[in-house]
Amino acid sequence: MGLSKNKYFPLELSILKHYNDNHNGIYNSCHPKVKETRDSAIVQFENIRLPLTNSEKWRSTNLQDLYELEYLMGDEKPVFDKHINEIFQCNVRGFDTNVFSMLNGWYYNSNTQQIHTLDDGVIIGSILAAQKAFPELISKYFNEIASPSTHGLLAANAAVFTDGIFIYVPDNVESKKAVQLINMVNRDSNIMINSRNLVILGQNSSLSFLHCDDSINQHPAFLVTNTEVFLGENAKLDLYKLQNLNNWSTLANSTFVQQESNSKLKINVLTFNGGIIRNEFNIDLIGEGADADVSGIYLMDKKQHVDNQVMLKHSAPNCTSNEMFKGVLDESASAVFNGYIYVARDAQKTLAFQKNANILMTNEARIDSMPFLEIYADDVKCSHGATVGQLDKDALFYLMQRGISESDAKLLLMYAFVTEVTGKIMIEPLKVSIDDMVKKRLRGDLSICDKCVLHCSTPDIPIEFEIDLSKI
Amino acid sequence: MLLNIKNLHVSINGKEILRGFNLGVNNGEVHAIMGPNGTGKSTLAAAITGREGYEITSGEIIYKGQNINNQSPDIRANEGIFLSFQYPVEIPGVSITNFMRTALNAKREFEGLPAIKAGDFLKKMEEKKKLVDIQSKLTNRSVNEGFSGGEKKKNEIFQMAMLEPTLAILDETDSGLDIDALKVVANGVNALRSDKNAFIIITHYQRLLDYIVPDFVHVMFDGKIVKSGGKGLAIELEKRGYDWIKDQMANR
């Protein structure tokens, strides 16, 4: 341990204090499994502390400056005085969702009721409320796959999380309408928010889940989100993560997924803006025939930083996985991609593919791309590829020879580069919106968006690439 | 004169490829430029269209009365210079439709015209597709992605028909084409010929010139034109090869 490990950072002190302030109070009223998780996680936190760049997985993402700041921890529960739509507009044309929101770490709903059963049978609400309403599910699933000991931020999150979203899709229930979670921060001081989500899909069930992380002001926030996802046999989850935070905010977002046989997971992470964004995906294919498709785009500029860590574990035979992350980095932006494929000895007939492609627009932009394969089975097909480059000069000339200006030609090529990922979005209106969003982002219209990503991307006239992009 | 190239010297990475090239082209003319490999034919096309990395060390390219030595490629294109590429570039993710609409509107804006209406654009597309016998589904695909050699070349001529250039340069458009595709391409070019535009046809073989009949044939050797004549010269070259010209050069 380095010297800096000896003295506690102000943020570490705040976390410990927050735990101490609450562990004999409200934490006592938690479900026993939750209480036990909090108590053991705080001990782990004291041992492992907040992650520093001397740990391999954090080598290229330095949060140390943030640890020196004073943060408001676990804000008071906000009084519900405004409907979500008054704070935040989200009206993707033709895309009807069941919208739920979190505000400053708390489940935020007009209804005093904290757990709802939707028309199609999906159960959704606050994880705090779920402790009382579904104690057996909490016992069975909570903290079963998330491992707080992975790093100090996860340990802290497990110890002091405020609230979170709970989604339960019972066996054989097929969700008709996508569920949208808008995780908002709106506080006039530095705030750290720890939320903990649990998503359970029973056998033969399905769900589309759109998870948006947004800032609605310009204050720095430190968001740590930990989501556990369980997919039963034949369950199908489409998970979209939209990240659009202000340039002063930090998001550390971990998702742990366990997939039983023949379940299908599709994750699409769309990172548009944010100061520092760290996405961790830990996916374990434990049932035969499970399939995971994890893809993402990141479009960063200024001094923004994004770090995608994907761990795909093939524990059972005949599973397939596909990873594709693509990024465009402009100005002094930096990115990390760490893709890890692990194939267990019994996981024969595994198909696992991984690809990370990057375009660097300037000499200052930076990408660290690190693929890892660890394979113990002998009958598998695995591949990985990482590319880093500039825009194709031949293609640029080809477009310009047809009269398209250099700046428009670059836009077209960047747009074309990311459509390989955005083309995978299954919900058509969402695809259109994201498409517009990408175009706006690449055009520089959206370096910071103070409203929802989706809101921004609902123009009356869809954006088409024509000659003069500035006039659309 | 539409295009007047005077004593042009062009280098790539310090190596001189064009060494005193001269050519004058008037509206309504078709010029064929022939010559063995490595004599600078494609370099000429790159220099006229303004490709990066092709340095003009001396001489002038005068187009429509203006020196365009330092003009950017998109401005030259909007001024009416079109290149049918020897190796058309694949651009995954950009549909031909989107590409053509963007290009056409770039030109219209350059000319001070409003963007083309969607209906008019589609009509124009349909009309020009017929000209080169392009299947409808092809234009919904990404530019040149997975196209056969013939499809790529037809696509070049289709783009030419859409953009209606004043000066079209066809760089080895016949290479890789079977006789049927060659005829289609040639018919497309012939349909576009008028007294308001001109063509420079760069080719290795005389074959294409059976279908697109040139007014002038020039033989390039070692970075410049060494012999010019009528269409008969192409036939003579086909019969005798290039060696006799090399011999003439050596004896000079």
Side-chain angles (χ1 to χ4, degrees):
Chain A
M1 275 186 208
L3 264 181
S4 54
K5 274 277 186 176
N6 297 328
K7 196 170 146 270
Y8 281 114
F9 289 108
L11 179 58
E12 291 175 322
L13 292 172
S14 301
I15 290 165
L16 291 168
K17 180 176 184 304
H18 190 63
Y19 172 82
N20 285 328
D21 289 349
N22 289 291
H23 91 280
N24 284 321
I26 58 165
Y27 292 173
N28 265 335
S29 59
C30 292
H31 185 288
K33 180 93 175 276
V34 176
K35 175 83 169 99
E36 186 193 309
T37 300
R38 288 187 189 277
D39 293 345
S40 61
I42 201 71
V43 177
Q44 288 169 328
F45 175 71
E46 282 183 288
N47 283 328
I48 57 181
R49 312 278 292 273
L50 290 172
L52 298 171
T53 49
N54 59 10
S55 107
E56 178 60 26
K57 293 253 169 163
W58 290 85
R59 198 157 53 93
S60 307
T61 296
N62 186 355
L63 302 183
Q64 195 167 331
D65 288 352
L66 303 169
Y67 305 160
E68 305 281 1
L69 302 177
E70 295 289 341
Y71 287 91
L72 177 68
M73 297 288 304
D75 197 11
E76 296 291 306
K77 183 163 183 166
V79 178
F80 190 95
D81 52 0
K82 282 190 192 114
H83 191 267
I84 176 79
N85 290 344
E86 289 178 51
I87 309 180
F88 198 85
Q89 288 287 317
C90 183
N91 46 356
V92 183
R93 281 172 312 153
F95 183 37
D96 194 10
T97 59
N98 285 308
V99 181
F100 295 86
S101 56
M102 305 273 301
L103 180 59
N104 302 339
W106 293 90
Y107 184 73
Y108 186 76
N109 197 286
S110 64
N111 204 319
T112 47
Q113 197 189 339
Q114 298 283 293
I115 294 270
H116 315 263
T117 303
L118 307 176
D119 294 343
D120 52 18
V122 174
I123 294 161
I124 184 161
S126 150
I127 195 163
L128 295 182
Q131 296 177 99
K132 308 243 158 32
F134 297 97
E136 68 295 344
L137 290 177
I138 298 292
S139 297
K140 187 170 173 193
Y141 293 107
F142 184 82
N143 206 47
E144 285 297 311
I145 49 174
S147 57
S149 61
T150 309
H151 55 73
L153 279 171
L154 279 177
N157 177 278
V160 302
F161 74 88
T162 306
D163 196 352
I165 202 100
F166 169 84
I167 302 177
Y168 173 47
V169 190
D171 289 356
N172 306 312
V173 167
E174 290 186 24
S175 162
K176 303 275 180 302
K177 217 189 218 185
V179 167
Q180 183 177 8
L181 172 66
I182 301 170
N183 192 12
M184 288 174 296
V185 184
N186 189 16
R187 196 70 169 80
D188 51 9
S189 58
N190 295 2
I191 182 169
M192 182 185 208
I193 293 168
N194 280 287
S195 38
R196 183 85 194 213
N197 307 315
L198 180 60
V199 178
I200 305 162
L201 270 72
Q203 289 180 21
N204 308 313
S205 69
S206 68
L207 178 72
S208 289
F209 181 29
L210 180 59
H211 181 164
C212 311
D213 282 303
D214 293 272
S215 323
I216 48 184
N217 66 23
Q218 302 287 327
H219 282 278
F222 195 157
L223 284 83
V224 183
T225 307
N226 187 357
T227 307
E228 287 179 284
V229 178
F230 294 86
L231 300 185
E233 277 182 39
N234 286 314
K236 186 170 174 281
L237 174 68
D238 281 354
L239 173 62
Y240 301 94
K241 280 180 177 284
L242 272 72
Q243 302 172 328
N244 194 37
L245 297 161
N246 69 39
N247 294 330
W248 302 271
S249 284
T250 303
L251 172 67
N253 165 40
S254 297
T255 307
F256 291 84
V257 187
Q258 188 179 77
Q259 293 188 238
E260 296 202 35
S261 55
N262 300 315
S263 61
K264 273 190 184 316
L265 171 72
K266 225 178 215 310
I267 297 180
N268 227 310
V269 203
L270 308 154
T271 307
F272 289 112
N273 210 85
I276 301 176
I277 292 181
R278 163 104 169 182
N279 292 307
E280 296 174 3
F281 295 94
N282 285 275
I283 295 156
D284 194 0
L285 306 168
I286 62 163
E288 205 165 327
D291 172 63
D293 186 308
V294 189
S295 52
I297 53 169
Y298 40 95
L299 311 173
M300 311 306 266
D301 59 9
K302 302 189 195 65
K303 291 186 169 161
Q304 300 174 352
H305 178 78
V306 60
D307 179 349
N308 285 299
Q309 306 265 329
V310 185
M311 166 77 187
L312 249 156
K313 193 171 173 198
H314 282 257
S315 301
N318 293 307
C319 291
T320 46
S321 70
N322 194 19
E323 284 169 63
M324 178 163 44
F325 279 77
K326 285 190 149 191
V328 179
L329 303 169
D330 200 356
E331 297 172 339
S332 316
S334 54
V336 180
F337 176 77
N338 190 328
Y340 204 114
I341 297 172
Y342 176 96
V343 182
R345 208 181 54 190
D346 298 333
Q348 300 296 357
K349 307 280 179 196
T350 286
L351 294 178
F353 303 104
Q354 184 192 90
K355 182 172 160 188
N356 174 230
N358 299 278
I359 289 179
L360 305 186
M361 302 296 290
T362 66
N363 288 332
E364 287 72 41
R366 180 182 167 87
I367 169 77
D368 289 293
S369 187
M370 294 163 282
F372 290 99
L373 301 180
E374 195 175 339
I375 301 169
Y376 296 101
D378 49 18
D379 185 12
V380 301
K381 268 188 194 155
C382 293
S383 74
H384 67 85
T387 61
V388 180
Q390 276 86 38
L391 292 175
D392 180 351
K393 282 212 158 71
D394 289 341
L396 201 58
F397 178 68
Y398 190 78
L399 295 174
M400 288 177 74
Q401 210 299 307
R402 300 306 186 239
I404 299 168
S405 71
E406 183 171 1
S407 57
D408 285 355
K410 282 182 175 170
L411 269 176
L412 259 177
L413 291 176
M414 284 190 280
Y415 170 70
F417 174 73
V418 297
T419 50
E420 194 183 357
V421 172
T422 54
K424 289 182 169 197
I425 296 172
M426 305 298 284
I427 304 168
E428 192 57 34
L430 180 64
K431 184 165 30 189
V432 171
S433 297
I434 297 296
D435 228 35
D436 286 335
M437 177 78 192
V438 167
K439 290 171 187 170
K440 278 187 166 184
R441 181 69 179 92
L442 293 174
R443 210 168 58 183
D445 281 8
L446 203 71
S447 61
I448 171 68
C449 180
D450 58 358
K451 286 185 179 171
C452 174
V453 155
L454 294 180
H455 176 64
C456 297
S457 61
T458 47
D460 294 328
I461 304 156
I463 298 169
E464 307 231 7
F465 267 117
E466 293 192 28
I467 180 69
D468 181 6
L469 293 145
S470 65
K471 286 187 186 157
I472 299 165
Chain B
M1 195 174 280
L2 179 65
L3 176 74
N4 192 5
I5 300 176
K6 296 194 276 192
N7 193 29
L8 192 68
H9 289 256
V10 174
S11 298
I12 310 169
N13 296 327
K15 188 176 181 231
E16 190 169 62
I17 307 292
L18 294 189
R19 307 168 183 212
F21 184 94
N22 293 288
L23 179 69
V25 178
N26 292 302
N27 278 324
E29 293 176 353
V30 174
H31 291 249
I33 295 186
M34 303 182 72
N37 286 329
T39 52
K41 300 194 296 295
S42 290
T43 298
L44 174 68
I48 298 173
T49 51
R51 187 160 196 156
E52 209 186 319
Y54 292 76
E55 195 200 344
I56 297 177
T57 52
S58 67
E60 282 184 298
I61 304 173
I62 312 284
Y63 175 71
K64 291 184 179 171
Q66 268 194 330
N67 180 317
I68 59 164
N69 282 19
N70 296 312
Q71 212 169 51
S72 71
D74 53 318
I75 304 293
R76 297 185 201 205
N78 287 324
E79 288 278 9
I81 298 178
F82 180 94
L83 172 64
S84 168
F85 284 67
Q86 182 176 8
Y87 304 108
V89 184
E90 296 194 10
I91 311 179
V94 178
S95 75
I96 293 179
T97 306
N98 203 354
F99 171 41
M100 274 298 99
R101 200 163 153 191
T102 307
L104 199 61
N105 280 333
K107 187 172 186 193
R108 289 177 66 91
E109 189 190 76
F110 186 82
E111 291 166 349
L113 297 169
I116 190 168
K117 287 187 189 129
D120 294 344
F121 173 75
L122 291 175
K123 218 170 109 184
K124 188 172 179 131
M125 285 261 290
E126 285 312 309
E127 187 189 313
K128 303 299 182 187
K129 270 193 269 188
K130 275 187 205 134
L131 186 72
V132 283
D133 190 25
I134 278 192
Q135 290 173 335
S136 266
K137 58 179 189 205
L138 213 59
T139 46
N140 293 325
R141 281 168 47 184
S142 290
V143 177
N144 295 320
E145 193 185 26
F147 285 23
S148 69
E151 283 170 338
K152 280 182 182 168
K153 295 298 172 77
K154 280 186 192 174
N155 186 25
E156 293 294 292
I157 304 304
F158 163 71
Q159 291 174 39
M160 183 171 86
M162 287 296 289
L163 297 170
E164 300 168 288
T166 313
L167 175 68
I169 304 159
L170 277 60
D171 189 3
E172 304 272 1
T173 296
D174 50 339
S175 67
L177 291 187
D178 61 33
I179 193 71
D180 293 329
L182 188 79
K183 278 184 191 164
V184 170
V185 164
N187 287 341
V189 172
N190 287 330
L192 297 169
R193 277 175 85 159
S194 83
D195 57 6
K196 294 193 175 54
N197 60 26
F199 291 79
I200 295 175
I201 295 172
I202 295 172
T203 181
H204 201 71
Y205 304 104
Q206 184 263 341
R207 191 175 69 145
L208 180 64
L209 306 180
D210 287 341
Y211 300 96
I212 307 173
V213 181
D215 301 301
F216 303 95
V217 174
H218 310 279
V219 182
M220 239 181 118
F221 188 70
D222 210 12
K224 53 179 178 276
I225 288 173
V226 293
K227 196 172 184 68
S228 296
K231 62 184 173 191
L233 179 58
I235 294 161
E236 194 174 354
L237 284 168
E238 184 75 5
K239 244 185 266 165
R240 300 174 60 184
Y242 289 109
D243 285 348
W244 63 280
I245 293 184
K246 287 182 194 168
D247 293 342
Q248 274 187 1
M249 293 290 299
N251 296 335
R252 206 172 279 175

